[in-house]
Amino acid sequence: MIKKLFGFLYQYISFRSLRSRIFLMILLVGIIPSILMRQGIMRNYEERAVEQRTLTVQNQLKIVADHLLNEDYLNSPSSNVISAELDMLSNLYDGRVLIINGNFKIIKDTYGISEGKTIISEEVIKCFLGESVAKYDAENGYIEMTTPIVDNKSNETVTDAEGNVTEGSAGASKVKGVMLTSMSNSYIVGTMEVLSRKAIILETIMIIIIVGIAFILSGILSGPFERVTKAINEVQAGYSNEPISVPDLAETVHIVDAFNQLLQRMKVLDDSRQEFVSNVSHELKTPLTSMKVLADSLLMQDNAPAELYREFLEDIVSEIDRENRIITDLLALVKMDKTTSELNITAVDINELAELILKRLRPIARKLDVEVVFESIRPVIAEVDEVKMTLIMSNLVENAIKYNKEHGWVKVVVDADHQYFTFEVSDSGIGIPEESLTQIYERFYRVDKSHSREIGGTGLGLAISKNAVLAHRGFITVTSTEGEGSCFLVKIPLNYIAQ
Ligand code: ADP
């Protein structure tokens, strides 16, 4: 249980599961914009607040500047009213006001420490030239601004060389003094702190909600995959053998379809394996049953003549031979299944091999009064497994001899083109009914069971041959007319194609 929990947590933390990835995605999509939005709003507020504050103070300073001029404060800074006004202003905005006259001399400092000193700074000079500056230093926490003290009444008229008269503008000549103000931004910082606290509380609530939504949504979205896994596990554990159905997402439907097809294929394989096992048992039991019947009947007779013993024993020997043949064929088939990829490929003279096989089978043909003809169209050397090729050729020729008629014939033709060689076996035998043509390669299939048994067939020869042909990446085809004969054609690549 703990191991399972750790496994789940590990998958979550390492983001290897679909669920954790969906979770992360929703989380990022939800949280990043909210953080960016908070920061954007705060910065915007700060800019707006500084702007507003500067504007308000500037307006107040302009009024004071007018008063200054009226009272001629720049020339005789003794007016208590003005001083009080300036002190009030600096108290109100938690700042410091310096009044600088035309000689860059500080005539009033609300802090009272710099009076009488000279100040020549860039901002002050610029202000004398008519440009008032406002500067915000967020790091040190103050706003600094310069306000020109402009005398609007002293309109001077200038006459230029051509005699044009222009009225003096509010230019540099009219700036009589400068007010240099710096004030603390503590008010703005305070408001921002309150705002930021509220925003963080809101953001935390939002993050909790987003985490909850992400957790639920990731569970919902990855749910179908978990259900597919559960259904597959149930099949794998053997609780069910039926096709599964998880009709949620198109993706899971595809997985389920593929799995069901695999299940179907496995079922077919399982069925064929069961059928094969029952066929094998049946085939192996038949000779044993015959032997038991023969032996029992001998035992039941007290004084059975020696000839009867001999006859029955000969029958028993032939049943033993049959049992042996079935086991040999079965072993060949099993070996073929196992070693399809383990062929022992060598360059084999196909004509020579065919002649050797025919030489071995001619005595049987002679016994059944069947003529065997061999025709070699051209010399063929091919890359094949000689043992398996021998199995293919001898099974086909043996069948053609076995399922023939009296005075019949068998014709074997070896030919080749630039890619394949062909091995063709035609006969004048009993033929194969059309409906059986597709089944003759199945293990233990025989058109006429008793006839095949009579002539010693096991029903495995063509299954072995087909497997061997396929292992060489070749083809086997058959054409047949009942009562007239059959023709088997094997086509195999001259050069072995590795799988
Ligand atoms: P068997 O050991 O019975 O010959 P095979 O797998 O070699 O088994 O052949 C399967 C069945 O196909 C045979 O039982 C027979 O009915 C049919 N058959 C195979 N070759 C021929 C042929 N040349 N002519 C007629 N029937 C054939």
Side-chain angles (χ1 to χ4, degrees):
M1 178 69 194
I2 291 175
K3 214 173 151 190
K4 223 173 168 183
L5 188 73
F6 269 116
F8 179 75
L9 278 178
Y10 172 72
Q11 277 200 354
Y12 231 102
I13 293 164
S14 63
F15 294 108
R16 285 182 57 207
S17 73
L18 178 69
R19 188 173 182 172
S20 59
R21 286 183 191 181
I22 296 173
F23 178 78
L24 180 73
M25 221 170 69
I26 299 172
L27 210 64
L28 292 180
V29 168
I31 289 174
I32 291 177
S34 92
I35 292 175
L36 291 178
M37 218 163 77
R38 177 173 62 87
Q39 282 184 347
I41 289 172
M42 294 304 285
R43 198 161 302 145
N44 198 277
Y45 167 77
E46 194 177 16
E47 274 169 20
R48 290 274 305 146
V50 168
E51 224 171 79
Q52 282 283 323
R53 194 117 179 120
T54 314
L55 207 71
T56 316
V57 175
Q58 284 275 23
N59 284 338
Q60 299 260 9
L61 287 171
K62 267 180 199 154
I63 296 167
V64 176
D66 282 346
H67 288 174
L68 278 172
L69 283 173
N70 288 342
E71 297 279 333
D72 197 21
Y73 191 82
L74 289 172
N75 295 322
S76 54
S78 54
S79 168
N80 285 337
V81 182
I82 300 290
S83 293
E85 215 171 320
L86 287 171
D87 287 338
M88 197 192 74
L89 206 66
S90 62
N91 280 339
L92 188 66
Y93 294 111
D94 189 15
R96 179 184 186 184
V97 184
L98 301 178
I99 310 286
I100 300 150
N101 70 10
N103 301 325
F104 296 99
K105 206 167 194 176
I106 299 170
I107 55 164
K108 169 76 182 166
D109 176 4
T110 52
Y111 278 15
I113 44 177
S114 299
E115 276 162 15
K117 289 183 184 165
T118 304
I119 180 166
I120 304 174
S121 70
E122 194 188 335
E123 290 87 15
V124 173
I125 295 169
K126 270 187 183 168
C127 194
F128 270 113
L129 292 171
E131 187 188 334
S132 68
V133 184
K135 197 172 78 184
Y136 176 50
D137 187 339
E139 226 166 82
N140 297 314
Y142 67 87
I143 304 168
E144 198 179 72
M145 65 185 98
T146 53
T147 317
I149 302 168
V150 184
D151 184 2
N152 288 318
K153 284 170 211 141
S154 70
N155 277 345
E156 293 160 17
T157 49
V158 179
T159 311
D160 63 16
E162 277 120 40
N164 296 326
V165 178
T166 47
E167 209 175 324
S169 58
S173 58
K174 288 170 73 185
V175 180
K176 302 294 182 204
V178 167
M179 293 171 98
L180 179 64
T181 317
S182 63
M183 57 184 170
S184 157
N185 70 342
S186 56
Y187 167 76
I188 296 171
V189 170
T191 319
M192 273 183 59
E193 265 168 17
V194 173
L195 264 179
S196 166
R197 221 171 297 136
K198 280 185 182 165
I200 285 174
I201 292 171
L202 266 177
E203 210 173 78
T204 314
I205 295 171
M206 236 167 89
I207 288 174
I208 293 171
I209 294 171
I210 290 170
V211 167
I213 291 174
F215 190 78
I216 295 167
L217 267 183
S218 63
I220 292 174
L221 288 175
S222 62
F225 290 95
E226 276 156 28
R227 280 197 287 283
V228 170
T229 315
K230 197 168 157 245
I232 291 176
N233 280 341
E234 268 175 23
V235 173
Q236 193 234 345
Y239 296 135
S240 153
N241 223 356
E242 293 309 306
I244 58 172
S245 154
V246 185
D248 285 278
L249 304 171
E251 286 82 356
T252 52
V253 169
H254 289 156
I255 297 173
V256 165
D257 282 351
F259 177 77
N260 284 340
Q261 277 169 19
L262 182 73
L263 196 70
Q264 188 60 32
R265 198 172 137 59
M266 274 164 59
K267 264 189 184 167
V268 169
L269 284 178
D270 195 45
D271 287 351
S272 97
R273 187 182 57 86
Q274 276 181 12
E275 196 190 316
F276 179 60
V277 170
S278 85
N279 281 344
V280 168
S281 322
H282 178 75
E283 294 296 329
L284 290 177
K285 245 183 113 182
T286 317
L288 285 177
T289 317
S290 311
M291 284 188 267
K292 183 159 168 51
V293 169
L294 289 165
D296 277 349
S297 60
L298 274 183
L299 284 174
M300 267 177 359
Q301 296 182 35
D302 285 337
N303 292 315
E307 299 87 64
L308 198 68
Y309 264 100
R310 189 168 184 81
E311 193 193 326
F312 277 26
L313 278 176
E314 274 171 3
D315 286 349
I316 288 175
V317 167
S318 91
E319 289 301 332
I320 290 172
D321 284 346
R322 184 172 159 64
E323 184 94 39
N324 214 356
R325 264 200 313 278
I326 295 173
I327 291 171
T328 312
D329 277 0
L330 269 176
L331 286 177
L333 195 66
V334 171
K335 215 169 150 202
M336 196 81 67
D337 274 350
K338 244 200 206 158
T339 56
T340 39
S341 55
E342 292 169 24
L343 296 180
N344 181 20
I345 301 293
T346 48
V348 176
D349 185 331
I350 301 297
N351 288 295
E352 207 179 281
L353 187 67
E355 293 213 56
L356 196 80
I357 287 162
L358 293 188
K359 197 172 153 199
R360 224 184 283 159
L361 293 175
R362 269 204 181 96
I364 307 173
R366 220 169 287 132
K367 228 192 259 176
L368 298 170
D369 192 18
V370 172
E371 189 194 358
V372 180
V373 190
F374 176 53
E375 189 181 345
S376 162
I377 309 257
R378 67 192 83 239
V380 178
I381 310 277
E383 290 174 5
V384 289
D385 181 317
E386 191 168 356
V387 177
K388 292 195 170 75
M389 201 61 225
T390 310
L391 274 175
I392 300 170
M393 290 177 164
S394 42
N395 271 329
L396 293 182
V397 179
E398 209 181 315
N399 278 351
I401 297 169
K402 280 192 309 192
Y403 301 102
N404 220 311
K405 294 182 217 150
E406 231 178 301
H407 313 302
W409 52 263
V410 172
K411 189 174 173 192
V412 176
V413 182
V414 171
D415 195 5
D417 57 20
H418 61 288
Q419 227 181 334
Y420 291 90
F421 74 88
T422 52
F423 178 77
E424 191 186 86
V425 184
S426 42
D427 63 59
S428 61
I430 57 173
I432 305 164
E434 209 182 326
E435 64 273 16
S436 301
L437 282 177
T438 50
Q439 289 167 285
I440 49 173
Y441 303 106
E442 283 170 21
R443 300 142 171 181
F444 297 115
Y445 181 82
R446 280 155 288 187
V447 176
D448 181 346
K449 257 200 163 140
S450 60
H451 181 227
S452 163
R453 217 174 110 71
E454 236 170 69
I455 51 181
T458 59
L460 292 171
L462 284 181
I464 294 171
S465 305
K466 187 168 183 182
N467 269 6
V469 170
L470 292 181
H472 285 90
R473 303 238 145 189
F475 316 90
I476 180 165
T477 49
V478 58
T479 46
S480 183
T481 315
E482 243 187 307
E484 282 183 24
S486 317
C487 178
F488 282 86
L489 178 75
V490 170
K491 204 169 168 188
I492 288 178
L494 285 166
N495 298 310
Y496 175 67
I497 307 163
Q499 327 265 311

